[in-house]
Amino acid sequence: MTENDQNKPNNENPDDETAAVATTGGGRADREERPEEADRTPAPAPHPRPEPVVSPWNEPVVEEFRANGGRVGGVFEGGDLLLLTTTGARSGREYTTPLGFLRIDGHVYVVGSAGGSPRNPDWYRNLIAHPMVLVEMPNDDSHEAVAVPLEGEERDRAFQEIVRREPGFGEYQEQVERRLPVVELQRSDVSGPAEVDNLADKLFQIHAWLRGQLVHVRREAELYLAERESAGAGHPVGLNLRIRQHCLAFCESLHFHHTSEDTAFPQLAEGFPHLREPVERLIAEHRAVDRLRGELEGLLTDLETADPVRFMAELDRLTEELRAHLEFEEEALIPTLSEIPFPPPGPAR
């Protein structure tokens, strides 16, 4: 099955201009319970998110997909379809788009054919600006992913296999001068506790993901530097899209997490006065970490001229600062957060 012809750039998406790289922005200790704190519940989420936008043309497809566990009839019957939710490159709004996908050697790929349009589809420009995406697949498999466009020979090999399986993509490629993007949707599994019963579990889960992404970005960068060194002078200067997408996904998630905490922490300190000093320190550390995050993102603005050695140095600085911050946050907050249920109970009826 080829990409939904409905997903052409002309879909009234306010993010339909070419996206620029975004440079701003997914142990416990026992303590004696204090009576005045026992019934505290967390404040509402500081960032309420409106429902993702779905174009009128795609609404019936999305509704049928969700109602039938990913099975869709009509022109899509028998094909492999997923729903991709991206964040608008300019508006920050979320958009959900049905796309055909292919699973090759355990990897999930989508192709930016846009029905043979001369321009890349909106969803592709969105994920270049904001690599963290939501993927809904058949059998109620919904998960976050990092969207990584393939480059060079890797892209060509994957596209050749895609065309072998779905010749329609080859026909689309013949209609346009641009190279159709091939994007791998790399599942971003949540780490930490398998079951989340309280805010401490949730915090551990988020911190585990952030630590894991740091390790992943470093591994990708080290591999790239090793390949570059072995290739000698013939290797292009700069960084690759794989490093950029994972690093940007980490940076945006970190920025969102700390922005959320900046809103929630003062309210937490009001309910638990013994946390006032730790909270003040944590918020101050957020600003220091955010400066390092911004500097790291700034290096990703132009991949062709990015200095990989400087990138590694900045990554080391951020890693050291963030690890110390996360360790202090866990030491200071976990005893209290373990008493607060998550998700919070609904209003009494």
Side-chain angles (χ1 to χ4, degrees), residues 30-328:
D30 296 327
R31 83 186 255 286
E32 182 178 351
E33 179 175 323
R34 301 184 182 186
E36 71 274 17
E37 298 172 359
D39 61 350
R40 298 287 184 178
T41 57
H47 297 286
R49 300 169 68 177
E51 286 295 315
V53 176
V54 181
S55 71
W57 188 266
N58 282 329
E59 280 182 359
V61 179
V62 171
E63 290 175 0
E64 186 177 3
F65 180 99
R66 289 172 173 163
N68 298 302
R71 294 185 299 276
V72 179
V75 297
F76 300 105
E77 187 170 3
D80 291 323
L81 194 72
L82 60 76
L83 303 183
L84 181 69
T85 298
T86 60
T87 301
R90 294 193 304 152
S91 70
R93 285 295 307 273
E94 291 183 323
Y95 298 86
T96 297
T97 306
L99 298 172
F101 75 92
L102 295 95
R103 195 187 300 272
I104 303 174
D105 297 330
H107 302 276
V108 174
Y109 299 103
V110 291
V111 180
S113 64
S117 168
R119 298 175 59 197
N120 287 329
D122 295 338
W123 61 261
Y124 178 75
R125 292 192 292 277
N126 288 347
L127 65 81
I128 288 294
H130 304 289
M132 287 298 300
V133 298
L134 176 65
V135 181
E136 297 173 65
M137 301 189 71
N139 301 317
D140 298 320
D141 178 9
S142 178
H143 58 271
E144 288 189 326
V146 180
V148 180
L150 304 188
E151 298 179 278
E153 294 181 359
E154 183 183 20
R155 180 265 177 202
D156 294 341
R157 287 194 301 270
F159 189 69
Q160 184 178 16
E161 176 62 19
I162 289 170
V163 171
R164 188 187 70 79
R165 299 186 185 192
E166 297 288 349
F169 284 115
E171 296 172 6
Y172 284 141
Q173 182 63 86
E174 292 175 356
Q175 297 175 22
V176 297
E177 295 182 2
R178 65 183 177 92
R179 297 178 77 216
L180 301 186
V182 178
V183 179
E184 181 182 355
L185 301 176
Q186 298 182 0
R187 190 182 191 111
S188 181
D189 287 319
V190 175
S191 303
E195 295 184 5
V196 175
D197 298 320
N198 52 61
L199 275 180
D201 290 340
K202 188 62 180 175
L203 187 68
F204 274 128
Q205 195 177 71
I206 294 170
H207 285 188
W209 187 90
L210 291 171
R211 289 181 171 111
Q213 283 298 302
L214 269 177
V215 171
H216 187 93
V217 171
R218 166 165 280 284
R219 187 185 304 121
E220 291 285 353
E222 289 176 341
L223 178 62
Y224 176 81
L225 285 175
E227 292 177 348
R228 178 185 176 188
E229 184 176 348
S230 63
H235 196 282
V237 176
L239 297 170
N240 61 21
L241 266 175
R242 187 177 296 273
I243 295 172
R244 176 198 181 275
Q245 294 298 94
H246 277 282
C247 187
L248 190 57
F250 163 78
C251 287
E252 290 196 330
S253 298
L254 176 64
H255 181 69
F256 179 84
H257 174 56
H258 281 176
T259 301
S260 300
E261 288 185 335
D262 285 344
T263 301
F265 278 1
Q267 299 177 46
L268 182 68
E270 288 182 7
F272 302 92
H274 69 286
L275 293 180
R276 285 175 182 168
E277 288 188 10
V279 160
E280 290 176 359
R281 171 177 163 178
L282 288 169
I283 291 176
E285 289 181 355
H286 288 173
R287 292 193 288 270
V289 170
D290 203 55
R291 283 194 297 271
L292 295 175
R293 175 201 60 82
E295 292 173 8
L296 190 65
E297 282 192 35
L299 295 176
L300 302 173
T301 302
D302 187 345
L303 293 181
E304 293 184 359
T305 60
D307 182 351
V309 176
R310 184 184 170 195
F311 174 82
M312 290 295 289
E314 294 296 333
L315 182 62
D316 286 342
R317 289 178 62 205
L318 177 60
T319 299
E320 182 178 358
E321 188 83 16
L322 182 61
R323 282 177 176 170
H325 170 76
L326 297 182
E327 289 172 3
F328 174 73

